[in-house]
Amino acid sequence: MRNHTRQAAMKKHVIAIYPGSFDPLTNGHLDLIHRGAKLFDELVIAILDNPDKDPLFTPRERREMVEAMTAHYDNVRVERFDGLLVEFAKKVSANVIVRGIRAISDYEYELQMALMNHKLYPQMDTVFMPSAEAYSYVSSRLVKGIARLGGPVHGFVPAMVEERLHRKLNGSSRRSAASNGKRTPSTTEGEAKPKRKATRTRK
Ligand code: PNS
């Protein structure tokens, strides 16, 4: 067998999971999904179903939004999980976890989680991907905070999420009056998270 043929035959099928609360999905998340889908054979977006986190959107709503925004990827699917992430990883035969890093402040908490997950399931490793610069300050938590106060979230989240946010928070389906059609910094797809202390759960 020629070298490249043997290499192709031996190529592993890599399934990665991209876990998170996705409450709600941001353009920073979408950017990471886009890049992850190119890197891995399969990417499973794993939405945490944990009522203790007191999410704004139900797991079903979060899943609907993520599914709608990722339906065009052949190798991406969306699942909900509860309990330990490593158990979910085993269930879907994944051995890579993808996590976005927005800033150094994300790193300590993410490193701790990556090491613990590896300890719990040594066949699994975490791949950190830097968030797109344009979304390095965007987080679900900040987006919710802005939306709650009637501020503009356009450009930080997909239009569908913007709509759902306003519907959920104001009971109206129109876009935030505060956005007034103005575009905030970036409009491509992806996620990001705020600076936070290493010991805190990132959001
Ligand atoms: O987007 P988030 O909220 O920062 O995601 C956090 C998430 C879902 C990755 C993390 O809370 C998690 O993995 N929860 C599952 C429970 C678990 O496995 N805990 C042990 C982690 S070392």
Side-chain angles (χ1 to χ4, degrees), residues 22 37 53 83 119 123 143 163 170 186:
F22 300 99
K53 281 204 165 186
K119 184 79 183 164
Q123 287 94 317
V143 162
E163 190 78 8
N170 312 324
S186 43

CSV table of all heavy atoms in Angstrom, one decimal, residues 22 37 53 83 119 123 143 163 170 186:
chain,number,residue,atom,x,y,z
A,22,PHE,N,-25.4,27.8,26.1
A,22,PHE,CA,-26.0,28.4,24.9
A,22,PHE,C,-27.4,29.1,25.3
A,22,PHE,O,-28.4,28.9,24.6
A,22,PHE,CB,-26.3,27.3,23.8
A,22,PHE,CG,-25.0,26.6,23.3
A,22,PHE,CD1,-24.7,25.4,23.8
A,22,PHE,CD2,-24.2,27.3,22.5
A,22,PHE,CE1,-23.5,24.8,23.5
A,22,PHE,CE2,-23.0,26.6,22.1
A,22,PHE,CZ,-22.7,25.4,22.6
A,37,ALA,N,-16.5,22.8,12.8
A,37,ALA,CA,-17.0,21.9,11.7
A,37,ALA,C,-16.0,21.6,10.7
A,37,ALA,O,-16.1,20.5,10.0
A,37,ALA,CB,-18.3,22.5,11.1
A,53,LYS,N,-28.9,26.2,36.8
A,53,LYS,CA,-28.3,27.4,36.2
A,53,LYS,C,-29.3,28.5,36.0
A,53,LYS,O,-28.9,29.6,35.5
A,53,LYS,CB,-27.5,27.1,35.0
A,53,LYS,CG,-26.2,26.4,35.2
A,53,LYS,CD,-25.3,26.6,34.0
A,53,LYS,CE,-23.8,26.3,34.4
A,53,LYS,NZ,-22.9,26.6,33.2
A,83,GLY,N,-26.0,15.9,33.6
A,83,GLY,CA,-25.0,15.0,34.3
A,83,GLY,C,-23.6,15.4,33.8
A,83,GLY,O,-23.4,16.4,33.3
A,119,LYS,N,-9.0,13.6,33.5
A,119,LYS,CA,-8.7,12.7,34.6
A,119,LYS,C,-9.9,11.7,34.7
A,119,LYS,O,-9.7,10.5,34.9
A,119,LYS,CB,-8.6,13.5,35.9
A,119,LYS,CG,-8.3,12.7,37.1
A,119,LYS,CD,-6.9,12.3,37.2
A,119,LYS,CE,-6.5,11.4,38.4
A,119,LYS,NZ,-5.2,10.8,38.2
A,123,GLN,N,-9.3,9.1,27.7
A,123,GLN,CA,-9.4,9.0,26.3
A,123,GLN,C,-9.8,10.3,25.6
A,123,GLN,O,-9.8,10.5,24.4
A,123,GLN,CB,-10.3,7.9,25.8
A,123,GLN,CG,-9.8,6.5,26.0
A,123,GLN,CD,-10.3,5.9,27.3
A,123,GLN,OE1,-10.4,6.6,28.3
A,123,GLN,NE2,-10.7,4.7,27.3
A,143,VAL,N,-25.2,39.7,26.8
A,143,VAL,CA,-26.2,39.9,25.8
A,143,VAL,C,-27.6,39.9,26.6
A,143,VAL,O,-28.4,40.8,26.3
A,143,VAL,CB,-26.2,38.8,24.8
A,143,VAL,CG1,-27.5,38.7,24.0
A,143,VAL,CG2,-25.0,39.0,23.8
A,163,GLU,N,-34.7,38.3,18.1
A,163,GLU,CA,-36.1,38.2,18.1
A,163,GLU,C,-36.7,37.5,19.3
A,163,GLU,O,-37.6,38.0,20.0
A,163,GLU,CB,-36.6,37.5,16.8
A,163,GLU,CG,-38.0,37.6,16.5
A,163,GLU,CD,-38.4,39.0,15.8
A,163,GLU,OE1,-37.5,39.7,15.6
A,163,GLU,OE2,-39.6,39.2,15.7
A,170,ASN,N,-39.7,41.1,26.6
A,170,ASN,CA,-40.7,42.2,26.5
A,170,ASN,C,-42.1,41.7,26.0
A,170,ASN,O,-43.0,42.5,25.9
A,170,ASN,CB,-40.2,43.2,25.5
A,170,ASN,CG,-38.8,43.6,25.7
A,170,ASN,OD1,-38.4,43.7,26.8
A,170,ASN,ND2,-38.1,43.9,24.6
A,186,SER,N,-19.9,43.7,15.0
A,186,SER,CA,-19.7,42.7,13.9
A,186,SER,C,-20.9,42.0,13.6
A,186,SER,O,-21.8,41.9,14.4
A,186,SER,CB,-18.6,41.8,14.4
A,186,SER,OG,-18.8,41.5,15.7
